[in-house]
């Protein structure tokens, strides 16, 4: 069940919201199924109602049918009735911040606007902050089909 989180008053999540997203991503990352790459990722997002939804990567022996952590978090949000991403945090190990892949950037765009915060973290804490527009400039979204 999604848990509530304090919401920031502007487009950037406040510290309690960032901490709640970090803890949710850290916890779900422990359940990642990554026997091939050993690259475990957790993602957590906060929806328009302030609820946190989390997902982890799930690899498959037939590589293309695995799923990203962000896709899992988005699916959890939609399943719980959420329709808008207020902020998302992605947590993974590496020498540089782990950001969503191209496909996940587009998945996020379906439910988020250009100034939606996208946070990159590793197990030690927050590494970088982006907007969705910085990661996916001049994007194609639902309003293009209106």
């Amino acid at each position: 069940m999604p848990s509530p989180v304090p919401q920031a008053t502007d487009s950037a999540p406040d510290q309690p919201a960032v901490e709640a997203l970090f803890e949710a991503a850290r916890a779900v990352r422990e359940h990642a199924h990554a026997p091939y790459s050993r690259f475990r990722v957790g993602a957590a997002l906060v929806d328009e109602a302030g609820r946190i939804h989390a997902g982890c990567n799930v690899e498959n022996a037939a590589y293309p049918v695995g799923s990203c952590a962000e896709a899992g978090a988005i699916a959890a949000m939609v399943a719980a009735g959420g329709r808008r991403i207020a902020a998302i945090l992605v947590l993974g190990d590496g020498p540089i911040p782990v950001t969503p892949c191209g496909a996940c950037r587009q998945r996020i765009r379906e439910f988020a606007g250009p100034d939606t915060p996208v946070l990159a973290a590793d197990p030690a804490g927050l590494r970088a902050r982006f907007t969705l527009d910085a990661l996916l400039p001049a994007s194609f979204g639902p309003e293009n089909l209106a």
Side-chain angles (χ1 to χ4, degrees), residues 21-64:
L21 288 169
F22 178 83
E23 286 305 316
R26 184 194 57 73
V28 75
R29 180 177 175 260
E30 294 301 316
H31 300 289
H33 179 73
Y36 309 108
S37 72
R38 309 265 191 276
F39 192 78
R40 295 177 305 137
V41 179
L45 62 85
V46 60
D47 70 14
E48 71 275 15
R51 298 171 298 183
I52 290 182
H53 309 277
C56 60
N57 58 320
V58 179
E59 294 180 349
N60 190 288
Y63 295 138

Side-chain angles (χ1 to χ4, degrees), residues 57-87:
N57 58 320
V58 179
E59 294 180 349
N60 190 288
Y63 295 138
V65 296
S67 62
C68 296
E70 300 90 330
I74 291 168
M77 177 190 74
V78 171
R83 292 294 181 262
R84 195 82 183 145
I85 297 171

Side-chain angles (χ1 to χ4, degrees), residues 31-139:
H31 300 289
H33 179 73
Y36 309 108
S37 72
R38 309 265 191 276
F39 192 78
R40 295 177 305 137
V41 179
L45 62 85
V46 60
D47 70 14
E48 71 275 15
R51 298 171 298 183
I52 290 182
H53 309 277
C56 60
N57 58 320
V58 179
E59 294 180 349
N60 190 288
Y63 295 138
V65 296
S67 62
C68 296
E70 300 90 330
I74 291 168
M77 177 190 74
V78 171
R83 292 294 181 262
R84 195 82 183 145
I85 297 171
I88 186 166
L89 183 142
V90 180
L91 190 153
D93 284 320
I96 59 174
V98 175
T99 59
C101 71
C104 284
R105 292 174 190 201
Q106 187 62 46
R107 286 182 182 102
I108 295 165
R109 178 63 180 89
E110 183 70 16
F111 300 97
D115 55 349
T116 299
V118 179
L119 311 173
D122 66 15
L126 190 62
R127 302 265 321 265
R129 294 174 182 257
F130 304 92
T131 63
L132 183 56
D133 193 49
L135 296 175
L136 190 66
S139 64

